[in-house]
Amino acid sequence: MRPMVHGGPDAQGVPVHDFSSNANACGPCEAVMQALRQADPTRYPDPAATALRGRLAAWHGVSPERVLVAASASEFIVRITAAVAVRRRGEGPVQVPAAAYGDYRRAAEAHGLSVRVVGEPLALGGARPPVLAWACEPSSPRGDAVADLPARLDALPPDTALVLDCAYAPLRLEGASALTAAQRDRCWQLWTPNKALGLTGVRGAYAIAPAAAPGRLVEDLHALAPSWPLGAHAEAMLRAWTEPAVQDWLSTQCLPRLREWKQRQISHCEAMGWQVAPGVANFFCARPGAPSLDGALRHLRTQGIKLRDCGSFGMPGWVRLGVLPPVSQDALARAWSPFA
């Protein structure tokens, strides 16, 4: 089992300038905050989330039977991996991107499933196709558009469960997904609005099953779910996510500002001599080129600045930076000056 590595607060507390998180730096959304304040935590929520699932289904234009709620994206990652392992252990591996959120691999290893990385050469004599495949678009940690995703999807056999992690789709700053509507309908779509809303402390997510999802897999996912996947506050957040005012806040107030901040932040990084990788999301990867990246990151942390080391993503020497306001960008530039 690999150790868990995450961005955000750590043993030293909350960073003053937290580049390690991909949350929307324009948040939180006040309309959702109001919904959270009005949530009633004194009662159990409906364990089936009947009204919420209907609301999310209508918003996505699918039937309510295709919507499953989850305690978080990570909870669903573990749950669908467990469901596949129960039915199809030994039939094939779990396919993960070369650089990706570590929970995909961790969940597979925890359930005794082998892991194959996208693009890895096949063993002599060929190999079995994956029983479960993961994709994230825009990707993490790179934040790129995954140009080969449609071809990768089409190459998978029909009985492979493909999960499309849509965590950063609402925070896409340029372009559009290359997937067609039919290709999306082939995937399990995993949505985690708390990042886009700037409310990562509220845990709650949902998945949309493929139009032709095997009924047995859907039943297993329901059977493996916690008794109450969502608390009152998560339910309030997901309900508010579909409100026109919330979507308008994201599209008209946040995305244009994040585009401006991103260009400024990239310019700062390049001025510091960092190599910046292209991307389309509200975060990007950069290679600082410091003699000791670990030492540099420890120094930055003492200055209230945290960056995400990409070593655990399989990208040693790189860091991932969420886009933050100019005051944080300037603080990073000042703290980096001893290494320039």
Side-chain angles (χ1 to χ4, degrees), residues 303-322:
Q303 305 301 305
I305 299 168
K306 184 175 181 180
L307 279 60
R308 178 70 155 83
D309 187 340
C310 287
S312 64
F313 290 121
M315 297 175 62
W318 290 79
V319 294
R320 191 192 67 194
L321 301 92

Side-chain angles (χ1 to χ4, degrees), residues 7-339:
D10 51 31
Q12 300 178 54
V14 179
V16 179
H17 307 288
D18 189 4
F19 291 90
S20 72
S21 168
N22 289 343
N24 179 359
C26 298
C29 176
E30 181 52 36
V32 183
M33 290 293 290
Q34 182 64 26
L36 296 178
R37 287 190 284 267
Q38 293 174 352
D40 181 5
T42 68
R43 304 179 190 280
Y44 288 113
D46 170 12
T50 308
L52 174 62
R53 289 171 57 230
R55 187 184 186 102
L56 292 168
W59 194 61
H60 283 280
V62 300
S63 65
E65 291 73 24
R66 290 178 60 185
V67 178
L68 291 82
V69 296
S72 67
S74 292
E75 185 271 314
F76 186 81
I77 289 168
V78 173
R79 199 197 317 173
I80 195 169
T81 304
V84 170
V86 165
R87 300 286 186 178
R88 306 192 63 188
R89 188 187 306 277
E91 293 184 27
V94 173
Q95 179 177 285
V96 301
Y101 184 42
D103 280 18
Y104 306 154
R105 178 184 284 271
R106 280 179 54 82
E109 291 173 343
H111 289 90
L113 298 173
S114 62
V115 176
R116 180 191 301 157
V117 175
V118 171
E120 251 183 12
L122 297 180
L124 189 64
R128 293 180 176 180
V131 293
L132 174 63
W134 290 96
C136 184
E137 206 267 344
S139 73
S140 179
R142 293 189 176 95
D144 62 10
V146 198
D148 67 339
L149 184 55
R152 192 192 305 172
L153 169 60
D154 289 342
L156 292 171
D159 61 345
T160 296
L162 172 65
V163 186
L164 178 63
D165 192 337
C166 303
Y168 306 110
L171 289 166
R172 188 181 190 117
L173 302 183
E174 56 185 278
S177 173
L179 293 176
T180 65
Q183 287 172 322
R184 281 189 167 275
D185 238 16
R186 157 82 169 79
C187 305
W188 287 86
Q189 299 174 51
L190 179 57
W191 292 88
T192 47
N194 58 357
K195 292 182 178 65
L197 297 172
L199 289 164
T200 52
V202 182
R203 310 300 295 162
Y206 62 97
I208 301 174
R216 189 172 62 182
L217 179 55
V218 175
E219 291 170 3
D220 288 346
L221 286 167
H222 281 298
L224 289 167
S227 295
W228 285 273
L230 301 176
H233 295 94
E235 192 172 70
M237 177 188 71
L238 294 178
R239 188 169 58 246
W241 170 241
T242 65
E243 291 287 348
V246 171
Q247 292 299 314
D248 181 70
W249 168 82
L250 179 61
S251 63
T252 65
Q253 297 185 43
C254 298
L255 298 187
R257 187 179 303 170
L258 289 169
R259 291 186 190 101
E260 293 177 6
W261 289 353
K262 182 177 181 180
Q263 290 306 312
R264 187 182 190 276
Q265 188 165 308
I266 288 174
S267 296
H268 264 48
C269 290
E270 291 175 339
M272 292 188 293
W274 295 14
Q275 177 187 348
V276 176
V280 299
N282 68 315
F283 58 92
F284 58 89
C285 288
R287 186 195 290 271
S292 170
L293 181 58
D294 286 345
L297 294 181
R298 285 195 299 270
H299 166 76
L300 292 177
R301 191 66 186 88
T302 66
Q303 305 301 305
I305 299 168
K306 184 175 181 180
L307 279 60
R308 178 70 155 83
D309 187 340
C310 287
S312 64
F313 290 121
M315 297 175 62
W318 290 79
V319 294
R320 191 192 67 194
L321 301 92
V323 172
L324 293 188
V327 63
S328 295
Q329 299 172 16
D330 294 343
L332 172 61
R334 288 192 299 270
W336 188 258
S337 57
F339 302 96

